[in-house]
Amino acid sequence: MADNNNTPRRVILARHGQTEWNKEYRFQGRTNVQLTEEGQRQAHSLALRLESWPPEVIYTSPLDRALYTANAIGERVNIKPIVLAELQEINFASWEGQSIAGLEREQHENFAKWRADPFFNPPAGAETWEQIYTRLSRAVKTFLDGSYKNIVVVSHGGIMRALYAVFTGLNPHKVWNMDVSNCAISGVEMRKGRPCLVFSNDDLHVRAGESGVKMPVWEGVTI
Protein backbone atom coordinates (compact mmCIF):
# COMPACT_ATOMS: atom_id res chain seq x y z
CA MET A 1 0.00 0.00 0.00
CA ALA A 2 1.54 3.28 -1.13
CA ASP A 3 2.14 6.33 1.07
CA ASN A 4 0.83 9.34 -0.85
CA ASN A 5 2.66 11.69 1.52
CA ASN A 6 5.95 10.14 0.40
CA THR A 7 7.20 10.49 3.99
CA PRO A 8 10.22 8.30 4.86
CA ARG A 9 9.06 5.86 7.53
CA ARG A 10 10.08 2.71 9.27
CA VAL A 11 7.41 0.44 10.72
CA ILE A 12 8.11 -2.37 13.18
CA LEU A 13 5.46 -5.09 13.19
CA ALA A 14 5.63 -6.97 16.52
CA ARG A 15 3.76 -9.99 17.81
CA HIS A 16 2.66 -10.22 21.45
CA GLY A 17 4.39 -12.39 24.04
CA GLN A 18 3.66 -16.03 24.75
CA THR A 19 0.33 -17.15 26.21
CA GLU A 20 -0.72 -20.50 27.67
CA TRP A 21 -2.71 -21.20 24.51
CA ASN A 22 0.38 -20.56 22.41
CA LYS A 23 2.15 -23.24 24.43
CA GLU A 24 -0.80 -25.60 23.91
CA TYR A 25 -1.11 -24.82 20.17
CA ARG A 26 -4.68 -23.56 20.48
CA PHE A 27 -6.49 -21.04 18.30
CA GLN A 28 -6.86 -17.83 20.31
CA GLY A 29 -8.53 -15.41 17.93
CA ARG A 30 -10.56 -12.82 19.84
CA THR A 31 -10.39 -14.76 23.13
CA ASN A 32 -8.63 -12.62 25.75
CA VAL A 33 -5.84 -14.96 26.87
CA GLN A 34 -3.21 -13.49 29.21
CA LEU A 35 0.56 -13.69 28.83
CA THR A 36 2.50 -16.33 30.71
CA GLU A 37 5.46 -15.30 32.88
CA GLU A 38 7.65 -16.21 29.93
CA GLY A 39 5.47 -14.04 27.68
CA GLN A 40 5.92 -11.11 30.03
CA ARG A 41 9.69 -11.63 29.97
CA GLN A 42 9.58 -11.69 26.18
CA ALA A 43 7.62 -8.42 26.13
CA HIS A 44 10.21 -6.69 28.31
CA SER A 45 13.05 -8.07 26.16
CA LEU A 46 11.31 -6.60 23.12
CA ALA A 47 10.92 -3.26 24.92
CA LEU A 48 14.65 -3.21 25.70
CA ARG A 49 15.42 -3.99 22.05
CA LEU A 50 13.31 -1.07 20.81
CA GLU A 51 14.48 1.44 23.42
CA SER A 52 17.57 2.43 21.44
CA TRP A 53 15.67 2.90 18.21
CA PRO A 54 13.18 4.37 19.48
CA PRO A 55 9.57 4.60 18.18
CA GLU A 56 7.63 7.83 18.01
CA VAL A 57 4.24 6.12 18.18
CA ILE A 58 2.94 2.68 19.18
CA TYR A 59 -0.29 1.24 17.79
CA THR A 60 -1.73 -1.89 19.41
CA SER A 61 -4.52 -4.40 19.29
CA PRO A 62 -6.96 -4.02 22.22
CA LEU A 63 -6.59 -7.67 23.29
CA ASP A 64 -4.75 -8.03 26.61
CA ARG A 65 -1.84 -10.09 25.28
CA ALA A 66 -0.98 -7.38 22.75
CA LEU A 67 -1.79 -4.51 25.10
CA TYR A 68 0.59 -5.82 27.79
CA THR A 69 3.33 -6.11 25.18
CA ALA A 70 2.66 -2.60 23.83
CA ASN A 71 2.59 -1.12 27.34
CA ALA A 72 5.95 -2.73 28.15
CA ILE A 73 7.42 -0.95 25.13
CA GLY A 74 5.60 2.27 25.96
CA GLU A 75 6.95 2.35 29.50
CA ARG A 76 10.50 2.03 28.15
CA VAL A 77 10.15 4.91 25.68
CA ASN A 78 7.63 7.05 27.60
CA ILE A 79 4.83 6.69 25.03
CA LYS A 80 1.22 5.72 25.70
CA PRO A 81 0.15 3.15 23.07
CA ILE A 82 -2.78 3.96 20.81
CA VAL A 83 -5.38 1.19 20.63
CA LEU A 84 -6.69 0.32 17.16
CA ALA A 85 -9.60 -2.14 17.11
CA GLU A 86 -8.62 -3.04 13.53
CA LEU A 87 -5.47 -4.76 14.84
CA GLN A 88 -7.21 -7.42 16.95
CA GLU A 89 -6.66 -11.03 15.95
CA ILE A 90 -8.71 -12.84 13.33
CA ASN A 91 -12.09 -14.11 14.56
CA PHE A 92 -11.83 -17.90 14.29
CA ALA A 93 -15.43 -18.46 15.47
CA SER A 94 -15.99 -22.05 16.70
CA TRP A 95 -12.29 -22.89 16.36
CA GLU A 96 -11.29 -20.52 19.16
CA GLY A 97 -9.90 -22.50 22.06
CA GLN A 98 -9.57 -25.61 19.90
CA SER A 99 -6.20 -27.31 19.66
CA ILE A 100 -4.51 -27.99 16.35
CA ALA A 101 -4.17 -31.67 17.27
CA GLY A 102 -7.89 -31.90 18.10
CA LEU A 103 -8.97 -30.22 14.88
CA GLU A 104 -6.72 -32.50 12.84
CA ARG A 105 -8.49 -35.48 14.39
CA GLU A 106 -12.08 -34.24 14.51
CA GLN A 107 -12.29 -31.96 11.46
CA HIS A 108 -9.53 -33.42 9.36
CA GLU A 109 -10.86 -32.35 5.93
CA ASN A 110 -11.79 -28.80 6.95
CA PHE A 111 -8.54 -28.32 8.83
CA ALA A 112 -6.50 -29.61 5.88
CA LYS A 113 -8.21 -27.06 3.61
CA TRP A 114 -7.54 -24.27 6.10
CA ARG A 115 -3.90 -25.22 6.49
CA ALA A 116 -3.42 -25.27 2.71
CA ASP A 117 -4.68 -21.67 2.31
CA PRO A 118 -5.84 -20.20 5.64
CA PHE A 119 -7.21 -16.80 4.58
CA PHE A 120 -9.35 -18.35 1.86
CA ASN A 121 -10.64 -21.45 3.68
CA PRO A 122 -11.81 -20.08 7.07
CA PRO A 123 -13.85 -22.20 9.50
CA ALA A 124 -17.62 -21.72 9.43
CA GLY A 125 -18.62 -18.31 10.76
CA ALA A 126 -15.05 -17.03 10.93
CA GLU A 127 -13.76 -13.79 9.47
CA THR A 128 -13.23 -13.78 5.71
CA TRP A 129 -10.23 -12.44 3.83
CA GLU A 130 -12.37 -9.59 2.49
CA GLN A 131 -13.29 -8.53 6.04
CA ILE A 132 -9.69 -8.78 7.23
CA TYR A 133 -8.42 -6.83 4.23
CA THR A 134 -10.95 -4.05 4.74
CA ARG A 135 -10.16 -3.44 8.41
CA LEU A 136 -6.39 -3.70 7.98
CA SER A 137 -6.51 -1.25 5.09
CA ARG A 138 -8.01 1.24 7.54
CA ALA A 139 -5.23 0.49 10.03
CA VAL A 140 -2.49 0.97 7.43
CA LYS A 141 -4.07 4.28 6.40
CA THR A 142 -3.78 5.37 10.04
CA PHE A 143 -0.05 4.44 10.05
CA LEU A 144 0.60 6.43 6.89
CA ASP A 145 -1.61 9.46 7.44
CA GLY A 146 0.44 10.83 10.33
CA SER A 147 3.84 12.49 10.39
CA TYR A 148 5.55 9.76 12.46
CA LYS A 149 8.71 8.25 10.97
CA ASN A 150 9.39 5.46 13.52
CA ILE A 151 6.26 3.39 14.12
CA VAL A 152 5.61 0.24 16.16
CA VAL A 153 2.55 -1.92 15.55
CA VAL A 154 1.78 -4.66 18.12
CA SER A 155 -0.65 -7.35 17.02
CA HIS A 156 -1.00 -11.09 16.48
CA GLY A 157 0.34 -13.95 14.38
CA GLY A 158 -2.56 -14.04 11.95
CA ILE A 159 -2.74 -10.27 11.67
CA MET A 160 0.99 -9.87 11.06
CA ARG A 161 0.73 -12.31 8.17
CA ALA A 162 -2.27 -10.41 6.84
CA LEU A 163 -0.31 -7.15 7.13
CA TYR A 164 2.45 -8.66 5.03
CA ALA A 165 -0.15 -8.92 2.28
CA VAL A 166 -2.19 -5.75 2.88
CA PHE A 167 0.73 -3.45 3.70
CA THR A 168 3.62 -4.77 1.61
CA GLY A 169 1.72 -6.47 -1.21
CA LEU A 170 2.93 -10.03 -0.61
CA ASN A 171 0.70 -12.83 -1.91
CA PRO A 172 -2.03 -13.51 0.71
CA HIS A 173 -2.11 -17.16 -0.41
CA LYS A 174 1.55 -17.56 0.63
CA VAL A 175 2.12 -15.43 3.73
CA TRP A 176 1.20 -18.22 6.17
CA ASN A 177 4.45 -19.86 5.04
CA MET A 178 6.25 -17.10 6.97
CA ASP A 179 6.98 -17.83 10.62
CA VAL A 180 5.88 -15.32 13.27
CA SER A 181 7.32 -16.06 16.71
CA ASN A 182 6.18 -14.54 19.99
CA CYS A 183 7.60 -11.01 20.39
CA ALA A 184 9.46 -11.28 17.08
CA ILE A 185 9.70 -8.15 14.96
CA SER A 186 9.49 -7.50 11.24
CA GLY A 187 10.61 -4.26 9.62
CA VAL A 188 8.87 -2.39 6.80
CA GLU A 189 10.58 0.61 5.27
CA MET A 190 8.78 3.11 3.05
CA ARG A 191 10.97 3.87 0.05
CA LYS A 192 9.71 6.65 -2.21
CA GLY A 193 6.25 5.99 -0.90
CA ARG A 194 6.34 2.21 -1.45
CA PRO A 195 6.67 -0.40 1.33
CA CYS A 196 9.60 -2.80 1.42
CA LEU A 197 9.82 -5.73 3.86
CA VAL A 198 13.40 -5.34 5.09
CA PHE A 199 13.50 -8.17 7.65
CA SER A 200 11.07 -10.57 9.32
CA ASN A 201 10.69 -12.75 12.43
CA ASP A 202 13.69 -11.31 14.25
CA ASP A 203 13.51 -12.64 17.82
CA LEU A 204 17.17 -12.45 18.82
CA HIS A 205 16.21 -10.30 21.82
CA VAL A 206 13.93 -13.09 23.08
CA ARG A 207 16.53 -15.81 22.57
CA ALA A 208 19.18 -13.73 24.33
CA GLY A 209 17.41 -14.62 27.58
CA GLU A 210 18.35 -12.68 30.70
CA SER A 211 21.58 -11.29 29.29
CA GLY A 212 19.98 -7.88 28.72
CA VAL A 213 22.16 -7.33 25.66
CA LYS A 214 21.05 -4.30 23.67
CA MET A 215 20.74 -5.04 19.97
CA PRO A 216 20.26 -2.72 17.00
CA VAL A 217 17.08 -2.60 14.96
CA TRP A 218 18.16 -0.69 11.87
CA GLU A 219 21.91 -0.26 12.33
CA GLY A 220 23.80 2.53 10.59
CA VAL A 221 21.08 3.46 8.07
CA THR A 222 19.40 6.85 7.96
CA ILE A 223 16.24 7.65 6.05
Side-chain angles (χ1 to χ4, degrees):
M1 183 174 288
D3 182 355
N4 294 327
N5 293 331
N6 207 25
T7 302
R9 306 176 198 273
R10 285 175 172 160
V11 183
I12 290 289
L13 306 177
R15 189 184 178 192
H16 60 78
Q18 181 199 72
T19 70
E20 200 64 39
W21 283 14
N22 289 147
K23 290 172 62 178
E24 297 172 356
Y25 297 98
R26 294 182 181 274
F27 282 83
Q28 293 180 112
R30 301 286 176 82
T31 308
N32 226 355
V33 187
Q34 306 299 310
L35 297 189
T36 60
E37 288 187 9
E38 170 62 14
Q40 293 176 21
R41 184 198 69 78
Q42 292 170 349
H44 290 288
S45 295
L46 171 58
L48 179 64
R49 176 79 180 276
L50 296 180
E51 183 181 23
S52 63
W53 184 38
E56 299 170 279
V57 65
I58 303 166
Y59 296 108
T60 182
S61 158
L63 295 175
D64 285 351
R65 56 193 186 271
L67 197 56
Y68 183 102
T69 305
N71 282 331
I73 301 167
E75 288 168 7
R76 274 275 176 185
V77 298
N78 198 29
I79 293 174
K80 183 176 177 58
I82 298 170
V83 173
L84 291 183
E86 290 88 350
L87 293 175
Q88 61 189 316
E89 182 60 296
I90 298 164
N91 181 354
F92 288 107
S94 62
W95 281 15
E96 298 206 6
Q98 300 296 311
S99 69
I100 289 175
L103 288 168
E104 284 181 316
R105 288 192 310 270
E106 297 162 16
Q107 298 189 41
H108 180 74
E109 184 176 346
N110 289 337
F111 185 78
K113 288 179 180 178
W114 177 86
R115 174 166 271 174
D117 198 356
F119 286 129
F120 297 89
N121 293 296
E127 212 172 357
T128 66
W129 171 246
E130 290 75 17
Q131 292 170 322
I132 296 166
Y133 184 92
T134 297
R135 67 177 169 98
L136 288 185
S137 294
R138 293 196 301 268
V140 171
K141 186 175 186 299
T142 298
F143 310 157
L144 301 183
D145 275 353
S147 60
Y148 302 111
K149 292 186 177 181
N150 287 3
I151 301 167
V152 167
V153 177
V154 181
S155 63
H156 307 270
I159 290 303
M160 282 186 64
R161 292 177 174 96
L163 282 169
Y164 291 154
V166 176
F167 193 4
T168 72
L170 295 181
N171 187 338
H173 295 280
K174 300 297 183 182
V175 290
W176 280 86
N177 293 336
M178 301 178 71
D179 202 7
V180 180
S181 302
N182 288 118
C183 275
I185 56 175
S186 297
V188 179
E189 188 169 279
M190 301 303 295
R191 297 178 177 174
K192 296 182 178 180
R194 305 298 301 181
C196 176
L197 182 63
V198 179
F199 60 88
S200 68
N201 204 43
D202 178 350
D203 67 345
L204 289 176
H205 47 282
V206 172
R207 290 185 281 134
E210 300 300 325
S211 65
V213 175
K214 291 191 176 183
M215 303 174 185
V217 179
W218 266 283
E219 178 69 11
V221 180
T222 302
I223 58 172

